[in-house]
PDB file of all heavy atoms in Angstrom:
ATOM      1  N   LEU A 198      40.445  -7.247  29.450  1.00  0.00           N
ATOM      2  CA  LEU A 198      39.026  -7.002  29.656  1.00  0.00           C
ATOM      3  C   LEU A 198      38.449  -6.181  28.517  1.00  0.00           C
ATOM      4  O   LEU A 198      37.336  -6.436  28.042  1.00  0.00           O
ATOM      5  CB  LEU A 198      38.804  -6.293  30.995  1.00  0.00           C
ATOM      6  CG  LEU A 198      37.354  -5.959  31.365  1.00  0.00           C
ATOM      7  CD1 LEU A 198      36.521  -7.224  31.426  1.00  0.00           C
ATOM      8  CD2 LEU A 198      37.299  -5.212  32.688  1.00  0.00           C
ATOM      9  N   GLY A 199      39.219  -5.195  28.039  1.00  0.00           N
ATOM     10  CA  GLY A 199      38.733  -4.382  26.935  1.00  0.00           C
ATOM     11  C   GLY A 199      38.524  -5.186  25.672  1.00  0.00           C
ATOM     12  O   GLY A 199      37.591  -4.947  24.906  1.00  0.00           O
ATOM     13  N   VAL A 200      39.401  -6.161  25.428  1.00  0.00           N
ATOM     14  CA  VAL A 200      39.270  -6.997  24.231  1.00  0.00           C
ATOM     15  C   VAL A 200      37.990  -7.824  24.284  1.00  0.00           C
ATOM     16  O   VAL A 200      37.266  -7.954  23.285  1.00  0.00           O
ATOM     17  CB  VAL A 200      40.504  -7.914  24.095  1.00  0.00           C
ATOM     18  CG1 VAL A 200      40.283  -8.945  22.986  1.00  0.00           C
ATOM     19  CG2 VAL A 200      41.753  -7.086  23.814  1.00  0.00           C
ATOM     20  N   GLY A 201      37.700  -8.395  25.449  1.00  0.00           N
ATOM     21  CA  GLY A 201      36.539  -9.269  25.542  1.00  0.00           C
ATOM     22  C   GLY A 201      35.238  -8.565  25.852  1.00  0.00           C
ATOM     23  O   GLY A 201      34.168  -9.162  25.692  1.00  0.00           O
ATOM     24  N   ALA A 202      35.289  -7.278  26.291  1.00  0.00           N
ATOM     25  CA  ALA A 202      34.070  -6.593  26.708  1.00  0.00           C
ATOM     26  C   ALA A 202      33.100  -6.408  25.546  1.00  0.00           C
ATOM     27  O   ALA A 202      31.882  -6.590  25.708  1.00  0.00           O
ATOM     28  CB  ALA A 202      34.416  -5.248  27.332  1.00  0.00           C
ATOM     29  N   ALA A 203      33.624  -6.045  24.376  1.00  0.00           N
ATOM     30  CA  ALA A 203      32.737  -5.823  23.229  1.00  0.00           C
ATOM     31  C   ALA A 203      32.031  -7.117  22.840  1.00  0.00           C
ATOM     32  O   ALA A 203      30.817  -7.124  22.591  1.00  0.00           O
ATOM     33  CB  ALA A 203      33.547  -5.273  22.058  1.00  0.00           C
ATOM     34  N   ARG A 204      32.785  -8.212  22.800  1.00  0.00           N
ATOM     35  CA  ARG A 204      32.158  -9.490  22.449  1.00  0.00           C
ATOM     36  C   ARG A 204      31.195  -9.955  23.537  1.00  0.00           C
ATOM     37  O   ARG A 204      30.136 -10.530  23.238  1.00  0.00           O
ATOM     38  CB  ARG A 204      33.246 -10.538  22.218  1.00  0.00           C
ATOM     39  CG  ARG A 204      34.139 -10.254  21.008  1.00  0.00           C
ATOM     40  CD  ARG A 204      35.194 -11.335  20.864  1.00  0.00           C
ATOM     41  NE  ARG A 204      36.060 -11.093  19.714  1.00  0.00           N
ATOM     42  CZ  ARG A 204      37.102 -11.849  19.389  1.00  0.00           C
ATOM     43  NH1 ARG A 204      37.396 -12.920  20.149  1.00  0.00           N
ATOM     44  NH2 ARG A 204      37.832 -11.563  18.342  1.00  0.00           N
ATOM     45  N   ALA A 205      31.567  -9.718  24.774  1.00  0.00           N
ATOM     46  CA  ALA A 205      30.671 -10.095  25.869  1.00  0.00           C
ATOM     47  C   ALA A 205      29.370  -9.298  25.795  1.00  0.00           C
ATOM     48  O   ALA A 205      28.277  -9.851  25.998  1.00  0.00           O
ATOM     49  CB  ALA A 205      31.357  -9.874  27.207  1.00  0.00           C
ATOM     50  N   GLY A 206      29.487  -7.995  25.510  1.00  0.00           N
ATOM     51  CA  GLY A 206      28.283  -7.179  25.374  1.00  0.00           C
ATOM     52  C   GLY A 206      27.401  -7.646  24.236  1.00  0.00           C
ATOM     53  O   GLY A 206      26.171  -7.680  24.357  1.00  0.00           O
ATOM     54  N   ALA A 207      28.026  -8.001  23.104  1.00  0.00           N
ATOM     55  CA  ALA A 207      27.243  -8.495  21.968  1.00  0.00           C
ATOM     56  C   ALA A 207      26.555  -9.815  22.293  1.00  0.00           C
ATOM     57  O   ALA A 207      25.394 -10.041  21.920  1.00  0.00           O
ATOM     58  CB  ALA A 207      28.152  -8.655  20.746  1.00  0.00           C
ATOM     59  N   LEU A 208      27.252 -10.688  23.028  1.00  0.00           N
ATOM     60  CA  LEU A 208      26.662 -11.968  23.407  1.00  0.00           C
ATOM     61  C   LEU A 208      25.484 -11.764  24.352  1.00  0.00           C
ATOM     62  O   LEU A 208      24.414 -12.378  24.188  1.00  0.00           O
ATOM     63  CB  LEU A 208      27.722 -12.844  24.066  1.00  0.00           C
ATOM     64  CG  LEU A 208      27.255 -14.207  24.607  1.00  0.00           C
ATOM     65  CD1 LEU A 208      26.664 -15.066  23.489  1.00  0.00           C
ATOM     66  CD2 LEU A 208      28.415 -14.926  25.298  1.00  0.00           C
ATOM     67  N   LEU A 209      25.661 -10.888  25.333  1.00  0.00           N
ATOM     68  CA  LEU A 209      24.568 -10.610  26.260  1.00  0.00           C
ATOM     69  C   LEU A 209      23.381  -9.986  25.543  1.00  0.00           C
ATOM     70  O   LEU A 209      22.221 -10.308  25.843  1.00  0.00           O
ATOM     71  CB  LEU A 209      25.052  -9.690  27.378  1.00  0.00           C
ATOM     72  CG  LEU A 209      26.009 -10.307  28.403  1.00  0.00           C
ATOM     73  CD1 LEU A 209      26.627  -9.223  29.270  1.00  0.00           C
ATOM     74  CD2 LEU A 209      25.283 -11.335  29.270  1.00  0.00           C
ATOM     75  N   GLU A 210      23.660  -9.098  24.606  1.00  0.00           N
ATOM     76  CA  GLU A 210      22.572  -8.448  23.880  1.00  0.00           C
ATOM     77  C   GLU A 210      21.777  -9.470  23.061  1.00  0.00           C
ATOM     78  O   GLU A 210      20.542  -9.414  23.013  1.00  0.00           O
ATOM     79  CB  GLU A 210      23.114  -7.349  22.977  1.00  0.00           C
ATOM     80  CG  GLU A 210      22.032  -6.548  22.285  1.00  0.00           C
ATOM     81  CD  GLU A 210      22.572  -5.304  21.612  1.00  0.00           C
ATOM     82  OE1 GLU A 210      23.801  -5.099  21.652  1.00  0.00           O
ATOM     83  OE2 GLU A 210      21.767  -4.560  21.044  1.00  0.00           O
ATOM     84  N   ARG A 211      22.470 -10.393  22.424  1.00  0.00           N
ATOM     85  CA  ARG A 211      21.758 -11.416  21.658  1.00  0.00           C
ATOM     86  C   ARG A 211      20.885 -12.280  22.562  1.00  0.00           C
ATOM     87  O   ARG A 211      19.716 -12.538  22.266  1.00  0.00           O
ATOM     88  CB  ARG A 211      22.762 -12.302  20.903  1.00  0.00           C
ATOM     89  CG  ARG A 211      23.415 -11.650  19.705  1.00  0.00           C
ATOM     90  CD  ARG A 211      24.072 -12.686  18.813  1.00  0.00           C
ATOM     91  NE  ARG A 211      25.067 -13.500  19.518  1.00  0.00           N
ATOM     92  CZ  ARG A 211      26.342 -13.184  19.624  1.00  0.00           C
ATOM     93  NH1 ARG A 211      26.790 -12.053  19.098  1.00  0.00           N
ATOM     94  NH2 ARG A 211      27.183 -13.982  20.273  1.00  0.00           N
ATOM     95  N   ARG A 212      21.456 -12.722  23.671  1.00  0.00           N
ATOM     96  CA  ARG A 212      20.718 -13.615  24.558  1.00  0.00           C
ATOM     97  C   ARG A 212      19.519 -12.915  25.205  1.00  0.00           C
ATOM     98  O   ARG A 212      18.399 -13.441  25.217  1.00  0.00           O
ATOM     99  CB  ARG A 212      21.651 -14.160  25.644  1.00  0.00           C
ATOM    100  CG  ARG A 212      22.726 -15.102  25.118  1.00  0.00           C
ATOM    101  CD  ARG A 212      23.728 -15.428  26.220  1.00  0.00           C
ATOM    102  NE  ARG A 212      23.092 -16.051  27.366  1.00  0.00           N
ATOM    103  CZ  ARG A 212      22.964 -17.368  27.526  1.00  0.00           C
ATOM    104  NH1 ARG A 212      23.446 -18.202  26.619  1.00  0.00           N
ATOM    105  NH2 ARG A 212      22.383 -17.864  28.601  1.00  0.00           N
ATOM    106  N   LEU A 213      19.751 -11.721  25.754  1.00  0.00           N
ATOM    107  CA  LEU A 213      18.689 -11.049  26.491  1.00  0.00           C
ATOM    108  C   LEU A 213      17.652 -10.433  25.565  1.00  0.00           C
ATOM    109  O   LEU A 213      16.470 -10.345  25.927  1.00  0.00           O
ATOM    110  CB  LEU A 213      19.295  -9.989  27.414  1.00  0.00           C
ATOM    111  CG  LEU A 213      20.153 -10.562  28.546  1.00  0.00           C
ATOM    112  CD1 LEU A 213      20.776  -9.448  29.371  1.00  0.00           C
ATOM    113  CD2 LEU A 213      19.335 -11.486  29.437  1.00  0.00           C
ATOM    114  N   THR A 214      18.066  -9.987  24.388  1.00  0.00           N
ATOM    115  CA  THR A 214      17.085  -9.472  23.436  1.00  0.00           C
ATOM    116  C   THR A 214      16.164 -10.589  22.960  1.00  0.00           C
ATOM    117  O   THR A 214      14.947 -10.388  22.799  1.00  0.00           O
ATOM    118  CB  THR A 214      17.785  -8.809  22.237  1.00  0.00           C
ATOM    119  OG1 THR A 214      18.607  -7.732  22.709  1.00  0.00           O
ATOM    120  CG2 THR A 214      16.772  -8.273  21.239  1.00  0.00           C
ATOM    121  N   LEU A 215      16.735 -11.759  22.724  1.00  0.00           N
ATOM    122  CA  LEU A 215      15.910 -12.902  22.346  1.00  0.00           C
ATOM    123  C   LEU A 215      14.930 -13.259  23.464  1.00  0.00           C
ATOM    124  O   LEU A 215      13.736 -13.510  23.211  1.00  0.00           O
ATOM    125  CB  LEU A 215      16.798 -14.096  22.016  1.00  0.00           C
ATOM    126  CG  LEU A 215      16.072 -15.409  21.666  1.00  0.00           C
ATOM    127  CD1 LEU A 215      15.196 -15.219  20.435  1.00  0.00           C
ATOM    128  CD2 LEU A 215      17.088 -16.537  21.459  1.00  0.00           C
TER     129      LEU A 215
END
Side-chain angles (χ1 to χ4, degrees):
L198 180 59
V200 171
R204 294 179 180 177
L208 176 60
L209 289 168
E210 185 169 2
R211 286 196 303 271
R212 292 172 59 92
L213 294 177
T214 301
L215 177 61

